[in-house]
Amino acid sequence: MLSRAQPARMAPVFANFRQYLLGWETGGRPGHGVDRFRSGLAAPQFNGVVRLVQPSEAGAAVAVARRELAGVPWWWWVGPDSPADTAGLLRRHGGREVASLPVMVRSLARPAGPPSAHPGLRVEEVRDARRLAELVSTYRTSMGIGSALQDAMVHIESRRADNGDIVRLAALREGRVVGTTTVIAAHGVAGIFLVHVAEEHRRQGVGVALTAAALRVGRERGMDVAALVASPAGEALYRRFDFTPVWGYRLFDFPA
Protein backbone atom coordinates (compact mmCIF):
# COMPACT_ATOMS: atom_id res chain seq x y z
CA MET A 1 0.00 0.00 0.00
CA LEU A 2 1.25 3.50 -0.76
CA SER A 3 2.31 5.47 2.28
CA ARG A 4 0.23 8.48 3.19
CA ALA A 5 3.18 10.66 2.15
CA GLN A 6 2.49 9.78 -1.51
CA PRO A 7 -1.13 10.78 -2.29
CA ALA A 8 -0.01 12.91 -5.26
CA ARG A 9 0.83 9.71 -7.16
CA MET A 10 -2.84 8.78 -6.93
CA ALA A 11 -4.18 12.17 -8.09
CA PRO A 12 -5.15 11.01 -11.63
CA VAL A 13 -6.95 7.95 -10.21
CA PHE A 14 -9.05 9.97 -7.81
CA ALA A 15 -9.74 12.60 -10.48
CA ASN A 16 -11.12 9.78 -12.63
CA PHE A 17 -13.28 8.48 -9.76
CA ARG A 18 -14.59 11.99 -9.05
CA GLN A 19 -15.58 12.31 -12.70
CA TYR A 20 -17.56 9.09 -12.51
CA LEU A 21 -19.40 9.97 -9.32
CA LEU A 22 -20.03 13.60 -10.23
CA GLY A 23 -21.46 12.42 -13.54
CA TRP A 24 -24.59 11.31 -11.68
CA GLU A 25 -25.44 14.93 -10.83
CA THR A 26 -28.61 16.06 -12.56
CA GLY A 27 -29.26 19.48 -11.02
CA GLY A 28 -26.15 21.37 -12.10
CA ARG A 29 -25.84 23.18 -8.77
CA PRO A 30 -22.43 24.09 -7.28
CA GLY A 31 -21.24 22.13 -4.28
CA HIS A 32 -20.46 25.03 -1.86
CA GLY A 33 -17.10 23.77 -0.56
CA VAL A 34 -17.57 20.13 -1.53
CA ASP A 35 -17.68 18.09 -4.70
CA ARG A 36 -21.16 16.66 -4.38
CA PHE A 37 -23.63 14.98 -6.71
CA ARG A 38 -27.33 14.35 -6.48
CA SER A 39 -29.07 12.13 -9.02
CA GLY A 40 -32.31 12.02 -7.07
CA LEU A 41 -32.28 8.20 -7.24
CA ALA A 42 -33.27 6.46 -4.02
CA ALA A 43 -29.94 4.62 -3.70
CA PRO A 44 -26.85 5.91 -1.84
CA GLN A 45 -24.48 4.88 -4.65
CA PHE A 46 -25.86 7.72 -6.79
CA ASN A 47 -25.92 10.65 -4.36
CA GLY A 48 -23.18 11.99 -2.15
CA VAL A 49 -20.01 13.93 -1.55
CA VAL A 50 -16.76 12.80 -3.09
CA ARG A 51 -14.37 15.43 -1.73
CA LEU A 52 -14.13 18.28 0.75
CA VAL A 53 -12.68 21.14 -1.32
CA GLN A 54 -12.34 23.96 1.25
CA PRO A 55 -11.19 22.61 4.63
CA SER A 56 -11.27 26.07 6.17
CA GLU A 57 -15.07 26.00 5.81
CA ALA A 58 -15.53 22.37 6.72
CA GLY A 59 -18.31 22.79 9.25
CA ALA A 60 -20.39 24.90 6.90
CA ALA A 61 -19.70 22.50 4.02
CA VAL A 62 -21.06 19.56 6.01
CA ALA A 63 -24.20 21.50 6.85
CA VAL A 64 -24.72 22.50 3.23
CA ALA A 65 -24.18 18.94 2.00
CA ARG A 66 -26.70 17.57 4.49
CA ARG A 67 -29.24 20.18 3.41
CA GLU A 68 -28.72 19.75 -0.33
CA LEU A 69 -28.82 15.95 -0.13
CA ALA A 70 -31.82 15.78 2.18
CA GLY A 71 -34.52 13.46 0.94
CA VAL A 72 -32.26 10.90 -0.75
CA PRO A 73 -29.91 8.26 0.68
CA TRP A 74 -26.28 9.28 0.21
CA TRP A 75 -22.68 8.60 1.17
CA TRP A 76 -19.67 10.81 1.81
CA TRP A 77 -16.59 9.28 0.14
CA VAL A 78 -13.34 10.00 2.03
CA GLY A 79 -10.11 9.37 0.12
CA PRO A 80 -6.64 10.92 0.12
CA ASP A 81 -7.86 13.73 -2.12
CA SER A 82 -9.71 15.12 0.92
CA PRO A 83 -8.01 16.84 3.89
CA ALA A 84 -6.44 14.43 6.36
CA ASP A 85 -8.95 15.02 9.16
CA THR A 86 -12.08 14.67 7.04
CA ALA A 87 -13.13 11.42 8.73
CA GLY A 88 -12.83 12.97 12.17
CA LEU A 89 -14.71 16.06 11.02
CA LEU A 90 -17.58 13.94 9.74
CA ARG A 91 -17.81 12.01 13.00
CA ARG A 92 -17.94 15.27 14.95
CA HIS A 93 -20.90 16.34 12.82
CA GLY A 94 -22.85 13.10 13.17
CA GLY A 95 -21.30 11.00 10.41
CA ARG A 96 -21.04 7.23 10.77
CA GLU A 97 -18.50 5.10 8.91
CA VAL A 98 -20.35 2.33 7.07
CA ALA A 99 -17.69 0.78 4.82
CA SER A 100 -14.03 0.79 3.85
CA LEU A 101 -13.28 -0.20 0.25
CA PRO A 102 -9.85 -0.74 -1.34
CA VAL A 103 -8.80 1.14 -4.44
CA MET A 104 -6.88 -1.24 -6.71
CA VAL A 105 -4.60 -0.25 -9.60
CA ARG A 106 -2.92 -2.11 -12.44
CA SER A 107 -0.50 -0.84 -15.07
CA LEU A 108 -1.74 -1.00 -18.65
CA ALA A 109 1.79 -1.29 -20.02
CA ARG A 110 1.15 -5.01 -20.48
CA PRO A 111 -1.95 -6.67 -21.91
CA ALA A 112 -4.44 -8.55 -19.81
CA GLY A 113 -4.00 -11.71 -21.85
CA PRO A 114 -6.83 -13.64 -23.45
CA PRO A 115 -9.75 -14.49 -21.19
CA SER A 116 -10.54 -18.10 -20.41
CA ALA A 117 -12.76 -19.69 -23.02
CA HIS A 118 -16.39 -19.94 -22.00
CA PRO A 119 -18.62 -21.33 -24.74
CA GLY A 120 -21.53 -19.11 -25.64
CA LEU A 121 -20.21 -16.05 -23.75
CA ARG A 122 -19.12 -12.86 -25.50
CA VAL A 123 -18.50 -9.26 -24.40
CA GLU A 124 -19.54 -6.37 -26.61
CA GLU A 125 -19.84 -2.59 -26.38
CA VAL A 126 -23.28 -1.18 -25.65
CA ARG A 127 -24.25 1.05 -28.56
CA ASP A 128 -28.04 1.43 -28.60
CA ALA A 129 -30.90 2.33 -26.30
CA ARG A 130 -32.31 -1.18 -26.06
CA ARG A 131 -29.03 -2.68 -24.92
CA LEU A 132 -28.44 0.21 -22.52
CA ALA A 133 -31.77 -0.56 -20.85
CA GLU A 134 -30.74 -4.22 -20.53
CA LEU A 135 -27.38 -3.20 -19.09
CA VAL A 136 -29.00 -0.97 -16.47
CA SER A 137 -31.55 -3.64 -15.60
CA THR A 138 -28.77 -6.19 -15.02
CA TYR A 139 -26.59 -4.07 -12.74
CA ARG A 140 -29.60 -2.54 -10.99
CA THR A 141 -30.94 -5.98 -10.10
CA SER A 142 -27.51 -7.13 -8.96
CA MET A 143 -27.28 -4.08 -6.68
CA GLY A 144 -30.68 -4.82 -5.15
CA ILE A 145 -32.30 -1.68 -6.60
CA GLY A 146 -35.98 -1.98 -7.46
CA SER A 147 -37.45 -1.73 -10.93
CA ALA A 148 -39.18 1.55 -10.09
CA LEU A 149 -35.86 3.34 -10.72
CA GLN A 150 -35.15 1.65 -14.06
CA ASP A 151 -36.34 4.41 -16.39
CA ALA A 152 -34.69 7.19 -14.39
CA MET A 153 -31.37 5.32 -14.29
CA VAL A 154 -31.42 4.74 -18.06
CA HIS A 155 -32.26 8.42 -18.61
CA ILE A 156 -29.33 9.61 -16.49
CA GLU A 157 -26.91 7.12 -18.06
CA SER A 158 -27.88 8.24 -21.55
CA ARG A 159 -27.39 11.92 -20.73
CA ARG A 160 -24.14 11.91 -18.76
CA ALA A 161 -22.01 14.86 -19.82
CA ASP A 162 -18.93 12.61 -20.06
CA ASN A 163 -20.39 9.94 -22.32
CA GLY A 164 -17.58 10.61 -24.80
CA ASP A 165 -15.15 9.14 -22.26
CA ILE A 166 -17.32 6.13 -21.45
CA VAL A 167 -17.40 2.62 -22.88
CA ARG A 168 -20.15 0.38 -21.51
CA LEU A 169 -19.62 -3.35 -21.87
CA ALA A 170 -22.21 -6.10 -21.71
CA ALA A 171 -21.47 -9.80 -21.30
CA LEU A 172 -23.94 -11.75 -23.41
CA ARG A 173 -25.07 -15.33 -23.25
CA GLU A 174 -27.72 -16.54 -25.71
CA GLY A 175 -28.38 -12.91 -26.59
CA ARG A 176 -29.14 -11.92 -23.00
CA VAL A 177 -27.12 -9.47 -20.91
CA VAL A 178 -25.71 -11.45 -17.96
CA GLY A 179 -22.96 -9.07 -16.82
CA THR A 180 -21.92 -5.43 -17.03
CA THR A 181 -19.08 -3.02 -16.61
CA THR A 182 -18.41 0.62 -17.44
CA VAL A 183 -15.00 2.03 -18.35
CA ILE A 184 -14.26 5.75 -18.09
CA ALA A 185 -11.06 6.69 -19.93
CA ALA A 186 -9.98 10.04 -18.50
CA HIS A 187 -6.99 11.61 -16.73
CA GLY A 188 -4.76 8.84 -18.10
CA VAL A 189 -6.77 6.27 -16.15
CA ALA A 190 -9.22 3.58 -17.22
CA GLY A 191 -11.66 3.69 -14.31
CA ILE A 192 -13.67 0.47 -14.10
CA PHE A 193 -17.13 0.73 -12.54
CA LEU A 194 -20.39 -1.18 -12.25
CA VAL A 195 -18.90 -4.66 -12.57
CA HIS A 196 -21.95 -6.84 -11.96
CA VAL A 197 -22.97 -10.36 -12.91
CA ALA A 198 -26.52 -11.69 -12.82
CA GLU A 199 -26.85 -14.00 -9.82
CA GLU A 200 -27.58 -17.16 -11.80
CA HIS A 201 -24.48 -16.61 -13.96
CA ARG A 202 -21.91 -16.03 -11.22
CA ARG A 203 -18.80 -18.20 -10.94
CA GLN A 204 -19.05 -19.01 -14.64
CA GLY A 205 -16.27 -16.77 -15.97
CA VAL A 206 -18.39 -13.70 -16.67
CA GLY A 207 -16.46 -11.43 -14.30
CA VAL A 208 -13.16 -12.63 -15.78
CA ALA A 209 -14.33 -11.89 -19.32
CA LEU A 210 -15.60 -8.43 -18.36
CA THR A 211 -12.40 -7.48 -16.53
CA ALA A 212 -10.21 -8.59 -19.43
CA ALA A 213 -12.39 -6.63 -21.87
CA ALA A 214 -12.24 -3.51 -19.67
CA LEU A 215 -8.43 -3.68 -19.61
CA ARG A 216 -8.34 -3.97 -23.38
CA VAL A 217 -10.53 -0.87 -23.66
CA GLY A 218 -8.13 1.03 -21.42
CA ARG A 219 -5.14 0.06 -23.57
CA GLU A 220 -6.98 0.90 -26.79
CA ARG A 221 -7.82 4.33 -25.39
CA GLY A 222 -4.16 4.96 -24.53
CA MET A 223 -4.58 5.05 -20.75
CA ASP A 224 -1.61 4.46 -18.42
CA VAL A 225 -3.29 2.50 -15.65
CA ALA A 226 -6.59 0.82 -14.80
CA ALA A 227 -8.19 1.44 -11.43
CA LEU A 228 -11.29 0.35 -9.55
CA VAL A 229 -12.93 0.29 -6.15
CA ALA A 230 -13.20 -3.36 -5.16
CA SER A 231 -16.00 -5.02 -3.29
CA PRO A 232 -15.08 -7.82 -0.86
CA ALA A 233 -16.51 -10.32 -3.35
CA GLY A 234 -14.51 -8.94 -6.27
CA GLU A 235 -11.08 -8.36 -4.74
CA ALA A 236 -9.81 -11.91 -5.32
CA LEU A 237 -10.78 -11.72 -9.00
CA TYR A 238 -8.92 -8.46 -9.52
CA ARG A 239 -5.80 -9.80 -7.85
CA ARG A 240 -5.78 -12.52 -10.52
CA PHE A 241 -5.33 -9.69 -13.04
CA ASP A 242 -2.45 -8.22 -10.96
CA PHE A 243 -4.47 -5.34 -9.55
CA THR A 244 -2.85 -4.11 -6.35
CA PRO A 245 -4.58 -2.28 -3.47
CA VAL A 246 -2.91 1.13 -3.18
CA TRP A 247 -5.27 3.16 -1.01
CA GLY A 248 -8.94 3.18 -0.18
CA TYR A 249 -12.21 4.98 0.37
CA ARG A 250 -14.03 5.24 3.67
CA LEU A 251 -17.77 5.71 3.27
CA PHE A 252 -19.84 7.69 5.77
CA ASP A 253 -23.54 8.26 6.11
CA PHE A 254 -25.53 10.59 8.33
CA PRO A 255 -28.34 8.78 10.17
CA ALA A 256 -31.55 10.78 10.48
Side-chain angles (χ1 to χ4, degrees):
M1 182 163 300
L2 292 177
S3 75
R4 292 213 174 260
Q6 298 172 300
R9 291 177 56 187
M10 291 292 292
V13 171
F14 286 94
N16 182 288
F17 290 173
R18 286 196 303 273
Q19 175 175 322
Y20 168 71
L21 290 169
L22 293 171
W24 289 99
E25 166 64 32
T26 59
R29 297 183 300 273
H32 302 294
V34 294
D35 286 334
R36 74 109 183 91
F37 57 102
R38 179 180 175 129
S39 70
L41 299 169
Q45 297 91 334
F46 307 119
N47 310 283
V49 173
V50 68
R51 181 175 59 161
L52 176 62
V53 179
Q54 299 176 6
S56 62
E57 301 177 8
V62 172
V64 168
R66 296 187 69 173
R67 182 174 67 249
E68 293 187 345
L69 292 166
V72 294
W74 62 283
W75 288 327
W76 191 306
W77 299 67
V78 179
D81 52 346
S82 282
D85 190 40
T86 299
L89 166 76
L90 299 183
R91 288 194 186 94
R92 291 192 294 273
H93 287 82
R96 176 185 64 180
E97 186 167 352
V98 296
S100 179
L101 301 174
V103 172
M104 304 184 77
V105 173
R106 180 197 190 275
S107 171
L108 288 172
R110 63 190 186 284
S116 302
H118 294 277
L121 178 68
R122 71 180 191 275
V123 178
E124 65 179 35
E125 184 175 346
V126 172
R127 297 181 181 274
D128 59 50
R130 179 181 65 84
R131 193 67 87 195
L132 177 62
E134 293 175 359
L135 181 99
V136 170
S137 179
T138 301
Y139 78 67
R140 172 186 58 73
T141 302
S142 177
M143 296 168 77
I145 297 172
S147 60
L149 297 184
Q150 170 75 14
D151 290 347
M153 293 174 72
V154 171
H155 179 78
I156 295 171
E157 284 272 21
S158 68
R159 294 176 178 270
R160 285 183 64 110
D162 59 352
N163 268 334
D165 295 332
I166 290 177
V167 176
R168 297 178 178 89
L169 299 171
L172 303 175
R173 183 167 279 153
E174 297 180 354
R176 176 188 171 195
V177 177
V178 299
T180 73
T181 192
T182 293
V183 183
I184 297 184
H187 309 281
V189 176
I192 301 174
F193 303 95
L194 294 174
V195 181
H196 288 278
V197 178
E199 185 173 3
E200 63 271 27
H201 293 272
R202 293 172 186 169
R203 294 175 293 280
Q204 298 178 32
V206 179
V208 171
L210 285 165
T211 304
L215 293 174
R216 287 195 293 273
V217 167
R219 283 174 57 87
E220 290 166 1
R221 291 268 180 135
M223 300 297 102
D224 299 319
V225 299
L228 51 83
V229 179
S231 67
E235 186 171 353
L237 166 64
Y238 303 130
R239 287 182 183 274
R240 289 170 56 188
F241 282 90
D242 296 325
F243 278 90
T244 301
V246 293
W247 214 299
Y249 273 117
R250 300 163 71 182
L251 272 57
F252 286 76
D253 71 4
F254 286 81

